[in-house]
Amino acid sequence: RHRQLTQDERNCRSYLTLARETVDMFHYLTEGVQEPFLRPELADRLAAMLDAVLEQLTNGPKCRNLKVKNPEKYGWEPKWLLSHIIDIYVHLAGDKMAKAMANDERSFKIETFQDAIKRMESTLNSSQSDIQRFRELADDANKLVVERQKQELSWENVPEEFEDAVMGEIMDDPVILPGSGKVMDRKHIIRHLLSTPNDPFNRQPLTEDKLIPATDLKKKIQDWKKVQMEKMDK
């Protein structure tokens, strides 16, 4: 039992060291270069990861379980981690990041960001400019969430051809997969290709440059959305 405990402690220190190095790397990179992280195929994943960690560090259901006896023994520094996670949001703040956060239906909650703002003001000694930038980012993302919820209630009978073949959601930038002929939203298929360079429907090799823009379909979707928005405004 003692041997297992020793091994668990060693693993814990190793995981926390790796986590710290990863966050530190993201912090350094996003401070100097933002655009690569805001590409559609990356931004949603990054936002979902940040949202999940932020929730766990603030008002998540298991937040209290993060209290550790002798935290320095394991390299556990939640204040440092929270500060750096918030900084990454601030580095990437803007319309693209707000949209990515709004797309995170699992972990994005305005209450989490409100709690983080309180901590920025009380314990993190954050600058007023960072607090304001972080608050505006959260508010912008929340507005997009509310708008999408309204759309989902009012946009009935979405044509099936407008929906992504995998995700089943209405597309913004549809592209045709040349091997299978299926149509997907560009951001979803590119995200798939980052890890698995093949057509998800027939497993034939596929690269981004082979995707065929569905220009006519994109125009039809845009026109349909415009009509739906006009109905909402009446």
Side-chain angles (χ1 to χ4, degrees):
R1 185 176 180 180
H2 180 269
R3 182 181 302 172
Q4 182 62 50
L5 179 60
T6 301
Q7 181 62 42
D8 289 344
E9 289 181 339
R10 187 179 299 113
N11 289 339
C12 182
R13 286 193 294 270
S14 177
Y15 294 149
L16 286 174
T17 297
L18 178 60
R20 182 186 178 99
E21 290 176 350
T22 301
V23 172
D24 207 20
M25 178 188 67
F26 271 109
H27 186 277
Y28 172 76
L29 292 175
T30 57
E31 187 173 20
V33 181
Q34 293 80 42
E35 189 57 34
F37 298 100
L38 296 174
R39 286 174 57 89
E41 62 271 22
L42 292 179
D44 285 3
R45 281 188 174 186
L46 179 57
M49 178 193 73
L50 293 172
D51 292 347
V53 174
L54 186 68
E55 182 180 29
Q56 292 301 318
L57 289 173
T58 54
N59 66 344
K62 297 182 180 180
C63 180
R64 294 185 178 181
N65 295 341
L66 296 178
K67 292 183 178 179
V68 178
K69 186 177 181 180
N70 301 323
E72 62 280 353
K73 178 179 179 181
Y74 305 98
W76 173 236
E77 299 181 72
K79 185 176 178 180
W80 179 93
L81 180 59
L82 177 59
S83 175
H84 278 61
I85 291 294
I86 289 174
D87 280 350
I88 295 173
Y89 278 109
V90 173
H91 294 164
L92 298 174
D95 293 343
K96 292 181 179 179
M97 187 60 180
K99 182 178 180 180
M101 291 159 56
N103 288 338
D104 177 19
E105 298 182 13
R106 180 177 181 178
S107 298
F108 176 77
K109 301 178 183 68
I110 190 62
E111 295 80 10
T112 298
F113 286 79
Q114 292 170 340
D115 186 283
I117 289 170
K118 292 179 181 178
R119 296 168 190 260
M120 292 176 76
E121 296 172 331
S122 61
T123 62
L124 298 182
N125 297 317
S126 301
S127 67
Q128 286 301 312
S129 61
D130 282 354
I131 293 173
Q132 183 62 24
R133 192 166 172 80
F134 185 76
R135 178 184 286 111
E136 290 176 352
L137 175 64
D139 288 343
D140 288 345
N142 193 55
K143 288 177 183 177
L144 292 174
V145 170
V146 173
E147 184 64 29
R148 185 182 64 228
Q149 292 172 342
K150 290 180 180 178
Q151 292 175 353
E152 291 175 350
L153 291 174
S154 61
W155 289 9
E156 299 178 353
N157 302 318
V158 177
E160 187 175 348
E161 66 172 324
F162 293 175
E163 297 179 341
D164 181 277
V166 172
M167 304 302 292
E169 59 186 36
I170 191 166
M171 296 179 283
D172 292 317
D173 188 8
V175 293
I176 302 170
L177 313 190
S180 63
K182 298 291 186 178
V183 180
M184 291 185 63
D185 205 344
R186 182 182 296 274
K187 65 180 180 182
H188 293 316
I189 184 59
I190 292 180
R191 187 180 304 156
H192 167 80
L193 294 176
L194 286 174
S195 57
T196 312
N198 62 27
D199 185 320
F201 296 95
N202 58 19
R203 301 303 177 187
Q204 292 181 5
L206 179 63
T207 55
E208 182 179 351
D209 61 295
K210 301 298 183 182
L211 300 175
I212 304 170
T215 308
D216 291 342
L217 178 57
K218 182 176 182 178
K219 179 65 165 54
K220 289 172 66 176
I221 293 173
Q222 291 173 338
D223 291 344
W224 184 85
K225 285 183 176 181
K226 183 178 180 180
V227 171
Q228 299 304 310
M229 294 299 292
E230 290 173 350
K231 289 180 179 179
M232 288 176 59
D233 294 337
K234 291 182 179 179

